[in-house]
């Protein structure tokens, strides 16, 4: 039986809830957006996991807590989280902040809806359509299709699925059992989601054939041709080439025009993973790096990276106009995609995706674009390149810094060689000792909270730093600081 | 007009001074002011007004009109702050107010301020949860929430991850089952291996079919088990299908049991299904995306009895628990790093093994995603705010409200229930006066089929209410009321019945 008395009153007090939201907002303005973007404040406050767990009092209990306690928790979260907006956060391919996109993100959260049907998200269905059109235009397509995906990895996997479906539409119903062995081609410097995708889609990571790259990390089209021929000779069926515009570590741009030649010759789907590098298309000066992109079948592009739109903001763009995306993914769920609705049901775009619930990720980009215009976004891209050039030139003149390669993009990869190792390149243990330098400097910078930059090995190259410079909050002062700080942290090693 | 980039245009060279590298490119103080003004607007229009019953649930305009009103196209130059705030206002105005107390259209609804505050924090901090170094707080929080869910399900220990949707959780389950059964498939792929088959109810979520297609298994290899008249999978028919598959020479892999089906809100009999899975050594996955919350209520947890026998569970707090989208958990009863082994690719630029902290805290390689949002924080803050006791109260209230509506409906002319609800879905037909004396038969059902779509159109154009309708199997279009929000009262339930009648009585 139901207790009618209880059901007559709501058990949520909206006035209180709104007050909480207001207070929480003030905290995050102060702690995250003001302090978090201030060069004089720390980038991070590192604590060991066990210590942090105690400080945060993570346990979930039977009883709730009062507002004051919860607001303190909000403050703690802000204090101990890494300030990815900070001008000295150079660790990943996302950083900085754009306030218009941030407002767009708050708005998306508060409107809390899914993009599967027009009836539930009328504004955003139309908006997503426009944003995709504008991005396709930059690629060089006046028509086409596309989707926002929950990340570049998913975009790459969707492209893989589409390529497979186009070649063998029956795979959707019958599965891979009856098909010959499919193979795909990518470079060893491409993003790891290509391999994860191959495993997930049932193709198998062994069937991801790695094409040789040159010294700068660019796929070699002649080798691609060779490997395709070789695969065919062994009875496998090539179906996809996944090349990269802006590799993760070195920021290399594969030569798209020549790769397109090879793909056209062998009738292979060409996917360009431009998750990182795609934003160069905004810049007249730098879009030549992606020359030939319009010949691709699909492009993945993450505005949450270089354009600082905020996680998640990832698109998959397609040249196709035959509704391939929908045909490949649809399941025609009758409870959601009724055909007897009172509006044009083509606006119910949910069946193009493999997701059911799908967040609104277009508003953040749309609002930012409205705020600064494509010329404003182009300026940011150009500035990023100039910042990297500044840092590179300065680094070349500074003792103890050795660059891997002249940056093609906004990734600058280098070793810091402490005084004790300088001039000792020919020593037997040089590489081993050099490999230990970056991890120690990284630990020190994190414990002190002064800066964050990533390091990794690559091929036979031992640990080196990879600094990515693109946040609109960064200035030459921060770049000068960068060099000084690495030196300061590592010179005694 | 979008600027056209043409290949043969002279590309002007930019002098370094043009770009002013000495200063940040963003004017901080005006940016902060914009943020404050837009937040005030959001709290006023999208939160306060949107939860007010005297405001509309939606402001319907035709797509063509909306296109014009919003002025969506993206140009070369930026707009002023006033114009941008007006755009925010327009976006709010023409968006459906899913937080409104009379939004019953989907399996999510209502306004939950604690999880919303958590969402705002996540947006401001902008973390990605792949490594401890970049997201220390959120990494620990995700672990704690998953642990709590595992405890509540009744496993001694386990693993899990939050991901971008229940559909993805279901895909993870299928892929894990496949990897567990045959680890070589990760490298070798599937062509050449024996045909695998999945089993699920005919009323399961469509993501199972999508998953089968995506993972290369094929939709034809998803065998659907018939349901009884209450929408529950029939275990004996499941066993028949498993035997049939074996006879065909196929390899049964996994059974997907649904705890809370999308339309009827039915719960498959997990205990009996588990017995069959154990007998034939099949992976049992429970899609509890919608019904998982029942486990928090002592009164209603019997609905998911047997769930502790599952190998994996999908549970979406963004549904019944009203956490902001998205918040989807996938948990697996395993202590041998199955998730890690199945998904890892050991990318050396992200998951370096020589880090200065314990790298087992880097959870990113368990996921198919790289960048990933810390969705677990939203449910963590909510749980801290309410505690399990109040979360339980909310679930019980929602179900009690569904019972109230059911009783009211039975007492009223013109409303016909499909079946007694056992969860928060109340499915019914509205029979307008003109059809009330027509005997049950093809003529009656054909005419009734046309009623719901018209009422739906009218309610949306009036903006008073939003409820979903659909056909199901051979049943004519019926309404599906979903009751979630604790803001909803008996007055709202009475309103629903009055309003539907008001909108449809002339049909």
């Amino acid at each position: 039986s139901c207790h009618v008395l209880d059901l007559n009153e709501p058990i949520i007090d909206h006035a209180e809830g709104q007050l909480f939201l207001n207070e929480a907002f003030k905290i995050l303005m102060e702690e995250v957006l003001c302090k978090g973007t201030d060069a004089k404040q720390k980038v991070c406050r590192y604590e060991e996991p066990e210590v942090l767990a105690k400080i945060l009092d993570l346990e979930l209990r039977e009883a709730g807590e009062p507002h004051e306690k919860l607001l303190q928790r909000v403050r703690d979260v802000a204090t101990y989280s890494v300030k990815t907006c900070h001008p000295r956060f150079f660790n990943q391919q996302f950083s900085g902040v754009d306030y218009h996109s941030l407002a767009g993100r708050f708005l998306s959260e508060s409107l809390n809806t899914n993009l599967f049907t027009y009836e539930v998200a009328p504004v955003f269905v139309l908006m997503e359509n426009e944003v995709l059109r504008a991005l396709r235009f930059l690629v060089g397509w006046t028509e086409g299709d596309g989707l926002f995906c929950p990340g570049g990895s998913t975009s790459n996997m969707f492209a893989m699925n589409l390529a497979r479906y186009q070649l063998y539409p029956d795979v959707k119903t019958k599965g891979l059992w009856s098909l010959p062995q499919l193979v795909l081609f990518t470079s060893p410097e491409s993003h790891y989601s290509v391999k994860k995708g191959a495993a997930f889609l049932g193709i198998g990571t062994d069937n991801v054939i790695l094409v040789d790259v040159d010294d700068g990390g660019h796929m070699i089209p002649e080798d691609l041709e060779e490997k395709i021929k070789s695969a065919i000779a062994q009875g496998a069926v090539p179906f996809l080439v996944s090349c990269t515009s802006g590799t993760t570590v070195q920021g290399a741009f594969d030569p798209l025009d020549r790769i397109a030649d090879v793909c056209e010759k062998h009738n292979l789907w060409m996917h360009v993973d431009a998750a990182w590098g795609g934003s160069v298309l905004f810049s007249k000066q730098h879009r030549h790096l992606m020359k030939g992109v319009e010949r691709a079948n699909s492009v993945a592009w993450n505005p949450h990276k270089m354009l600082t739109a905020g996680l998640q903001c990832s698109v998959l763009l397609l040249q196709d106009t035959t509704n391939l995306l929908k045909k490949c993914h649809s399941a025609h769920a009758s409870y959601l995609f009724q055909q007897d609705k009172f509006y044009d049901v083509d606006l119910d775009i949910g069946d193009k995706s493999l997701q059911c619930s799908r967040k609104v990720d277009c508003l953040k980009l749309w609002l930012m674009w409205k705020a600064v215009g494509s010329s404003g976004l182009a300026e940011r891209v150009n500035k990023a390149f100039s910042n990297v050039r500044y840092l590179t030139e300065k680094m070349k003149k500074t003792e103890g810094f050795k660059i891997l390669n002249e940056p093609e993009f906004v990734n600058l990869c280098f070793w810091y060689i402490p005084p004790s190792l300088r001039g000792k390149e020919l020593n037997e243990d040089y590489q081993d000792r050099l490999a230990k330098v970056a991890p120690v400097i990284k630990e020190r910078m994190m414990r002190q909270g002064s800066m964050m930059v990533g390091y990794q090995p690559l091929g036979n190259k031992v640990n080196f730093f990879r600094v990515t410079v693109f946040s609109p909050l960064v200035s030459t002062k921060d770049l000068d600081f960068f060099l000084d700080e690495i030196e300061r942290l590592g010179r005694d090693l | 007009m979008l600027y056209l980039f043409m290949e043969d245009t002279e590309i002007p060279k930019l002098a370094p001074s043009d770009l002013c590298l000495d200063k940040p490119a963003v004017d901080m103080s005006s940016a902060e002011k914009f943020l404050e003004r837009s937040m005030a607007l959001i709290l006023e229009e999208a939160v306060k007004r949107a939860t007010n019953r005297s405001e509309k649930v939606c402001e319907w305009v035709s797509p063509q009109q909306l296109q014009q009103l919003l002025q969506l196209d993206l140009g070369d130059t930026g707009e002023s702050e006033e114009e941008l705030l007006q755009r925010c206002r327009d976006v709010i105005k023409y968006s459906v107010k899913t937080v409104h107390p009379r939004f019953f259209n989907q399996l999510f609804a209502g306004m939950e301020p604690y999880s919303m505050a958590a969402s705002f924090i996540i947006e401001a901090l902008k973390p990605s949860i792949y490594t401890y170094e970049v997201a220390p707080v959120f990494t620990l929080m995700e672990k704690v929430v998953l642990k709590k869910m595992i405890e509540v399900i009744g496993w001694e220990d386990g693993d899990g991850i939050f991901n971008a949707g229940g559909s993805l959780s279901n895909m993870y389950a299928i892929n894990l089952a496949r990897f567990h059964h045959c680890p070589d498939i990760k490298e070798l792929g599937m062509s050449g291996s024996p045909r695998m088959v999945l089993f699920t109810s005919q009323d399961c979520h469509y993501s199972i079919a999508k998953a089968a297609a995506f993972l290369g298994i094929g939709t034809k290899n998803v065998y659907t088990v018939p349901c009884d008249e209450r929408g529950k999978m029939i275990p004996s028919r499941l066993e028949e299908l498993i035997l049939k598959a074996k006879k065909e020479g196929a390899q049964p892999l996994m059974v997907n049991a649904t705890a809370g089906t999308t339309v009827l809100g039915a719960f498959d009999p997990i205990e009996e299904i588990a017995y069959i899975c154990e007998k034939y050594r099949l992976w049992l996955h429970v899609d509890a995306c919608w019904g998982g919350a029942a486990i928090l209520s002592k009164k209603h947890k019997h609905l998911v009895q047997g769930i502790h026998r599952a190998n994996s569970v999908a549970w979406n707090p963004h549904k019944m628990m009203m956490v902001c989208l998205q918040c989807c958990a996938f948990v697996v009863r395993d202590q041998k790093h199955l998730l890690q082994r199945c998904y890892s690719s050991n990318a050396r630029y992200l998951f370096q093994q020589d880090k200065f902290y314990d790298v087992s805290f880097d959870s990113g390689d368990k996921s198919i995603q790289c960048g990933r949002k810390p969705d677990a924080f939203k449910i963590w803050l909510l749980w801290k705010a309410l505690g399990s006791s109040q979360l339980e109260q909310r679930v019980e209230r929602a179900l009690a409200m569904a019972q109230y509506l059911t009783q009211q409906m039975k007492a009223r002319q013109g409303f016909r229930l499909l079946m007694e609800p056992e969860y928060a879905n109340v499915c019914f037909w509205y029979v307008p006066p003109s059809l009330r004396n027509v005997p049950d038969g093809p003529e009656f059902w054909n005419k009734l089929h046309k009623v719901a779509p018209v009422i739906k159109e009218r309610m949306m154009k009036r903006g008073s209410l939003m409820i979903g309708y659909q056909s199901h199997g051979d049943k004519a279009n019926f309404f599906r009321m979903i009751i979630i929000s604790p803001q909803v009262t008996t007055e709202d339930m009475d309103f629903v019945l009055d309003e539907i009648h008001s909108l449809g009585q002339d049909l």
Side-chain angles (χ1 to χ4, degrees):
Chain A
S1 65
C2 53
H3 306 285
V4 177
L5 280 171
D6 296 335
L7 301 183
N8 286 340
E9 295 299 316
I11 59 173
I12 251 189
D13 183 342
H14 272 296
E16 262 201 52
Q18 284 157 36
L19 190 62
F20 182 80
L21 275 171
N22 241 314
E23 295 300 308
F25 178 68
K26 285 195 202 131
I27 293 175
L28 61 94
M29 280 296 283
E30 173 67 32
E31 300 289 325
V32 182
L33 299 168
C34 291
K35 288 190 187 162
T37 52
D38 185 347
K40 297 189 287 300
Q41 301 283 337
K42 288 185 172 184
V43 179
C44 59
R45 266 187 72 165
Y46 181 81
E47 298 286 345
E48 293 299 328
E50 297 74 19
V51 174
L52 185 56
K54 279 212 182 69
I55 295 170
L56 294 173
D57 178 29
L58 294 165
E59 198 194 325
L60 298 170
R61 302 187 178 97
E62 188 66 19
E65 292 177 348
H67 276 187
E68 300 73 49
K69 190 111 193 259
L70 294 170
L71 290 171
Q72 182 54 45
R73 292 196 180 287
V74 169
R75 215 171 263 114
D76 289 341
V77 168
T79 305
Y80 294 98
S81 286
V82 171
K83 304 300 183 293
T84 67
C85 305
H86 198 285
R88 280 132 199 219
F89 177 83
F90 300 106
N91 215 59
Q92 313 289 157
Q93 288 169 344
F94 65 89
S95 74
V97 66
D98 175 279
Y99 287 95
H100 300 107
S101 93
L102 183 57
R105 286 182 271 139
F106 288 157
L107 189 48
S108 305
E109 294 303 307
S110 66
L111 287 171
N112 202 46
T113 195
N114 271 328
L115 261 171
F116 36 45
T117 57
Y118 183 82
E119 72 182 74
V120 187
V123 169
F124 302 118
V125 166
L126 298 182
M127 189 184 281
E128 184 176 92
N129 194 44
E130 169 58 25
V131 174
L132 290 170
R133 188 207 62 74
L135 293 172
R136 276 197 302 265
F137 190 82
L138 290 172
V139 169
W141 299 331
T142 50
E143 284 183 305
D145 202 346
L147 198 61
F148 273 73
C149 301
S153 298
T154 335
S155 301
N156 287 342
M157 292 185 199
F158 280 19
M160 197 179 289
N161 194 34
L162 285 170
R164 176 175 65 177
Y165 177 79
Q166 184 172 79
L167 192 58
Y168 289 112
D170 279 352
V171 74
K172 182 176 179 180
T173 49
K174 296 189 183 156
L176 284 169
W177 326 102
S178 47
L179 294 187
Q181 187 61 63
L182 294 173
V183 292
L184 60 116
F185 303 84
T186 194
S187 92
E189 299 205 11
S190 69
H191 191 261
Y192 67 81
S193 56
V194 178
K195 280 204 148 163
K196 285 206 180 193
F200 203 55
L201 269 59
I203 294 168
T205 55
D206 282 358
N207 299 305
V208 177
I209 297 173
L210 298 180
V211 181
D212 291 346
V213 294
D214 64 18
D215 220 33
H218 310 93
M219 189 189 280
I220 300 173
E222 292 76 19
D223 191 54
L224 172 63
E225 171 87 39
E226 281 310 306
K227 296 226 155 78
I228 291 172
K229 285 198 194 132
S230 168
I232 294 172
Q234 288 169 36
V237 177
F239 77 103
L240 166 71
V241 174
S242 188
C243 49
T244 318
S245 289
T247 56
T248 315
V249 178
Q250 296 202 74
F253 283 71
D254 286 343
L256 302 179
D257 252 330
R258 287 156 62 208
I259 291 171
D261 290 339
V262 177
C263 290
E264 270 161 33
K265 180 172 168 190
H266 295 280
N267 200 24
L268 301 185
W269 183 289
M270 178 178 170
H271 172 66
V272 177
D273 177 0
W276 178 214
S279 301
V280 301
L281 291 173
F282 274 99
S283 159
K284 286 196 291 297
Q285 280 74 25
H286 301 290
R287 58 179 284 126
H288 66 89
L289 287 167
M290 287 181 65
K291 185 163 181 297
V293 67
E294 70 284 354
R295 298 172 66 188
N297 295 87
S298 55
V299 178
W301 181 352
N302 290 7
H304 71 231
K305 288 187 156 72
M306 200 178 188
L307 297 180
T308 67
L311 230 69
Q312 296 270 12
C313 192
S314 313
V315 302
L316 175 67
L317 303 171
L318 304 176
Q319 206 187 147
D320 171 76
T321 50
T322 68
N323 230 354
L324 184 71
L325 189 55
K326 188 169 180 186
K327 287 187 215 153
C328 179
H329 287 159
S330 65
H332 307 292
S334 58
Y335 81 94
L336 201 53
F337 307 117
Q338 301 85 333
Q339 297 300 295
D340 55 2
K341 291 191 188 182
F342 66 98
Y343 57 85
D344 178 6
V345 294
D346 277 346
L347 290 164
D348 286 351
I349 53 173
D351 234 358
K352 288 188 187 182
S353 178
L354 287 176
Q355 295 180 278
C356 179
S357 287
R358 189 160 69 87
K359 277 190 82 104
V360 173
D361 287 330
C362 58
L363 177 56
K364 58 188 93 152
L365 178 57
W366 184 83
L367 199 61
M368 180 170 72
W369 198 322
K370 279 290 193 187
V372 303
S374 44
S375 60
L377 295 173
E379 213 177 278
R380 289 184 187 177
V381 173
N382 293 337
K383 183 173 173 187
F385 275 90
S386 301
N387 267 334
V388 166
R389 195 165 59 228
Y390 172 88
L391 184 62
T392 308
E393 293 310 307
K394 194 146 190 225
M395 198 178 276
K396 284 177 175 172
K397 297 185 202 129
T398 314
E399 230 208 302
F401 287 86
K402 183 163 177 235
I403 295 176
L404 246 85
N405 276 310
E406 198 66 39
E408 188 180 347
F409 190 34
V410 300
N411 304 34
L412 176 55
C413 298
F414 66 94
W415 289 280
Y416 173 69
I417 301 158
S420 70
L421 283 181
R422 288 173 204 173
K424 310 231 170 83
E425 293 81 4
L426 298 175
N427 285 20
E428 227 184 78
D429 63 348
Y430 180 78
Q431 291 295 322
D432 282 343
R433 290 177 67 188
L434 186 58
K436 294 191 173 67
V437 170
V440 174
I441 294 178
K442 178 68 180 275
E443 177 177 0
R444 289 175 177 183
M445 72 172 68
M446 282 199 69
R447 288 193 188 278
Q448 292 176 36
S450 54
M451 196 159 86
M452 273 183 77
V453 60
Y455 73 84
Q456 64 285 298
L458 183 67
N460 54 10
K461 300 184 173 70
V462 302
N463 284 332
F464 55 90
F465 286 106
R466 173 198 71 169
V467 60
T468 49
V469 187
F470 60 93
S471 161
L473 297 177
V474 162
S475 66
T476 49
K477 269 199 295 295
D478 302 300
L479 301 177
D480 294 338
F481 172 84
F482 179 81
L483 292 174
D484 293 339
E485 185 68 359
I486 298 253
E487 173 81 48
R488 186 185 75 81
L489 291 167
R491 63 176 163 237
D492 68 322
L493 290 174
Chain B
M1 267 302 287
L2 199 55
Y3 202 106
L4 278 166
F5 299 137
M6 290 186 287
E7 285 297 339
D8 50 3
T9 308
E10 180 71 56
I11 297 171
K13 296 262 184 296
L14 280 165
S17 58
D18 289 3
L19 289 172
C20 194
L21 302 185
D22 299 343
K23 297 196 289 284
V26 173
D27 176 356
M28 299 294 279
S29 73
S30 69
E32 281 164 36
K33 239 187 268 138
F34 176 77
L35 209 52
E36 267 161 14
R37 288 184 70 189
S38 53
M39 183 51 89
L41 173 67
I42 288 169
L43 289 175
E44 180 62 35
E45 306 283 323
V47 175
K48 190 166 175 194
R49 277 184 71 183
T51 49
N52 187 338
R53 278 172 186 81
S54 49
E55 300 284 340
K56 287 180 166 185
V57 179
C58 58
E59 185 77 47
W60 171 267
V61 290
S62 76
Q64 294 79 357
Q65 273 177 287
L66 188 56
Q67 188 89 37
Q68 278 177 356
L69 282 164
L70 293 173
Q71 288 174 41
L72 293 165
D73 47 282
L74 296 166
D76 201 41
T77 50
E79 295 183 348
S80 72
E81 184 173 296
E82 289 312 315
E83 283 173 296
L84 294 171
L85 286 170
Q86 185 54 44
R87 297 204 175 285
C88 290
R89 237 175 243 116
D90 291 339
V91 166
I92 295 172
K93 179 172 179 187
Y94 295 104
S95 284
V96 170
K97 308 300 182 292
T98 66
V99 300
H100 196 285
R102 285 156 187 190
F103 176 83
F104 303 105
N105 214 60
Q106 312 289 155
L107 298 181
F108 68 90
M111 215 296 274
E112 207 312 296
Y114 301 109
S115 85
M116 193 176 282
S119 293
F120 288 166
I121 296 162
I122 290 170
E123 294 308 319
L125 283 168
K126 233 182 2 79
S128 174
I129 199 181
Y130 32 42
T131 59
Y132 182 80
E133 73 181 71
V134 184
V137 171
F138 300 118
T139 297
L140 297 182
M141 275 181 184
E142 187 178 73
K143 279 171 94 81
V144 161
V145 175
L146 289 168
K147 189 153 183 266
K148 187 72 178 178
M149 287 178 159
I150 284 166
E151 180 193 305
V152 157
I153 287 171
W155 295 336
E156 240 182 69
D157 203 351
D159 201 351
I161 199 156
F162 272 75
N163 59 46
S167 299
L168 247 83
S169 295
N170 289 341
M171 286 183 201
Y172 270 72
I174 298 172
N175 192 38
L176 268 188
R178 177 173 65 178
F179 177 79
H180 176 75
H181 185 80
C182 187
D184 285 347
I185 282 181
K186 182 178 179 182
E187 283 96 33
L188 300 178
M190 292 193 321
S191 55
S193 69
R195 182 170 70 98
M196 288 174 176
V197 172
L198 317 172
F199 304 86
T200 190
S201 100
Q202 69 190 65
D203 273 9
C204 74
H205 190 261
Y206 68 83
S207 56
I208 299 294
K210 290 204 178 194
F214 194 50
L215 268 53
I217 291 172
T219 54
K220 285 214 166 99
N221 297 309
V222 178
Y223 287 13
T224 49
V225 184
C227 295
D228 64 18
E229 70 288 350
R230 290 189 55 69
K232 298 166 182 284
M233 189 195 283
I234 302 171
S236 59
R237 303 295 295 273
L238 166 64
E239 186 154 15
E240 271 170 38
L241 272 179
I242 293 172
L243 291 168
K244 172 171 177 275
K246 279 167 158 310
K247 223 165 160 198
E248 291 165 359
Q251 278 194 25
L253 178 69
M254 172 185 128
V255 175
N256 174 59
T258 314
T261 55
T262 316
V263 178
L264 300 180
F267 285 71
D268 287 343
I270 301 173
E271 198 87 78
E272 290 167 68
I273 294 169
Y275 171 73
I276 294 172
C277 288
E278 279 155 26
K279 181 173 172 185
Y280 294 98
R281 292 158 66 91
L282 303 186
W283 183 285
L284 173 58
H285 171 66
V286 177
D287 175 357
C289 288
W290 174 217
I295 212 175
L296 297 172
S297 154
K298 290 186 271 304
K299 189 168 176 203
H300 299 288
K301 63 195 279 192
H302 66 89
L303 289 169
V304 290
Q305 190 166 327
I307 198 172
H308 64 283
R309 294 169 72 180
N311 293 91
S312 58
V313 176
W315 177 357
N316 290 6
H318 72 225
K319 289 188 156 74
M320 178 58 87
M321 294 166 82
M322 294 206 306
V323 173
C324 283
L325 296 156
Q326 282 180 319
C327 192
C328 309
F330 173 72
V331 287
V332 54
R333 177 161 56 107
D334 163 79
Q335 296 169 48
K336 296 193 191 139
H337 307 289
L338 186 66
L339 259 181
Q340 179 82 19
R341 285 185 285 124
C342 178
Y343 287 107
S344 65
S345 68
N346 305 309
R348 292 163 88 198
Y349 81 93
L350 201 52
F351 308 115
Q352 301 86 334
Q353 296 301 296
D354 55 2
K355 290 190 189 183
F356 65 97
Y357 59 84
D358 177 0
V359 293
S360 71
F361 281 91
D362 286 349
S363 62
D365 229 0
K366 292 183 189 178
S367 177
I368 56 162
Q369 293 179 274
C370 180
R372 192 163 66 89
K373 293 186 84 149
D375 294 325
F377 176 50
K378 295 184 272 201
I379 178 72
W380 184 87
L381 192 63
L382 176 61
W383 207 308
K384 278 296 197 188
L386 301 183
S388 347
S389 59
Q390 283 187 67
L391 288 172
E392 173 178 39
Q393 215 178 74
R394 286 193 180 182
V395 173
E396 291 184 358
R397 185 197 161 89
L399 301 198
M401 195 66 73
Q403 291 301 317
Y404 171 82
L405 180 66
T406 305
Q407 281 170 21
Q408 291 303 106
M409 220 175 257
K410 284 176 174 173
R412 273 235 219 184
Q413 251 216 11
F415 289 91
R416 221 161 122 162
L417 269 179
L418 238 88
M419 64 174 225
E420 286 292 329
E422 63 178 355
Y423 195 51
N425 307 37
V426 182
C427 296
F428 64 95
W429 290 281
Y430 170 70
V431 184
S434 72
L435 289 183
R436 285 178 199 168
N437 291 320
V438 177
D440 260 25
E443 191 204 332
F444 172 75
W445 291 110
N446 283 336
K447 288 192 171 156
L448 191 60
H449 187 70
K450 298 189 174 68
V451 168
V454 175
I455 295 179
K456 177 68 180 274
E457 177 176 359
R458 291 175 176 183
M459 72 171 65
M460 285 198 66
K461 289 184 172 171
R462 197 187 267 188
S464 54
L465 184 58
M466 270 184 79
I467 302 181
Y469 75 83
Q470 64 285 297
S471 61
H472 190 71
D474 54 0
K475 297 187 169 62
N477 279 332
F478 56 90
F479 286 107
R480 175 195 72 166
M481 258 295 276
I482 301 288
I483 297 152
I484 293 172
S485 170
Q487 201 197 2
V488 163
T489 65
T490 48
E491 191 196 309
D492 297 305
M493 297 296 97
D494 296 338
F495 174 82
V496 167
L497 298 178
D498 293 338
E499 184 71 357
I500 289 183
H501 179 64
S502 147
L503 291 167
Q505 59 190 314
D506 65 324
L507 292 175

